[in-house]
Amino acid sequence: VQLVESGGGLLQPGGSLRLSCAASGFSVSCYAMRWFRQAPGKERELVADSPNAGSSAAYADSVKGRFTISRDNAKNTVYLQMDSLKSEDTSVYYCNAQRTRGWYDGRWSSAKDYWGQGTQVTVSS
């Protein structure tokens, strides 16, 4: 099981960036997929939440209207489109996959919680 983020980088305020989170070993369509971020000296915060395929996404107030989370089930990948970036968006961004415990395909499964290694996004003039 693996989550691999990519797409981070350095850019100027007002720019756009798309982060990707490629999953292997499980299907993102069966999991709640989320993007978190953590800046130096700050707690990790949830910025975008896609509860599962077909449900409405939710966003932190600080990114609402600027960030969009989406899925490509065929590619087993989740994206975070970030527009109108600000200096305060500078953080390491992490992809997260969660599934509650329960019966799946006739088998009992414990709760699952997977994290990627993170990708750095720096917004600076």
Side-chain angles (χ1 to χ4, degrees), residues 35-38 42-48 58-68 80-91 93:
W35 285 95
F36 288 76
R37 68 184 182 187
Q38 187 168 21
K42 294 188 177 181
E43 293 186 354
R44 189 170 296 189
E45 64 169 335
L46 175 65
V47 296
Y59 300 91
D61 286 344
S62 57
V63 307
K64 199 172 294 182
R66 301 188 297 120
F67 288 13
T68 304
L80 184 67
Q81 177 67 41
M82 304 186 294
D83 299 318
S84 302
L85 281 161
K86 306 174 181 179
S87 57
E88 51 262 44
D89 295 319
T90 296
S91 283
Y93 284 74

Side-chain angles (χ1 to χ4, degrees), residues 2-3 6 14 26 29 45 47-48 50 75 79 81 92 115:
Q2 198 173 17
L3 290 171
S6 61
F26 70 99
S29 64
E45 64 169 335
V47 296
S50 176
K75 294 183 178 180
Y79 302 98
Q81 177 67 41
V92 177
W115 290 89

Side-chain angles (χ1 to χ4, degrees), residues 8-60:
L10 170 65
L11 69 165
Q12 293 185 341
S16 296
L17 204 61
R18 189 178 78 159
L19 304 183
S20 299
C21 172
S24 59
F26 70 99
S27 174
V28 300
S29 64
C30 300
Y31 281 67
M33 299 300 299
R34 303 180 174 108
W35 285 95
F36 288 76
R37 68 184 182 187
Q38 187 168 21
K42 294 188 177 181
E43 293 186 354
R44 189 170 296 189
E45 64 169 335
L46 175 65
V47 296
D49 178 14
S50 176
N52 55 55
S55 297
S56 298
Y59 300 91

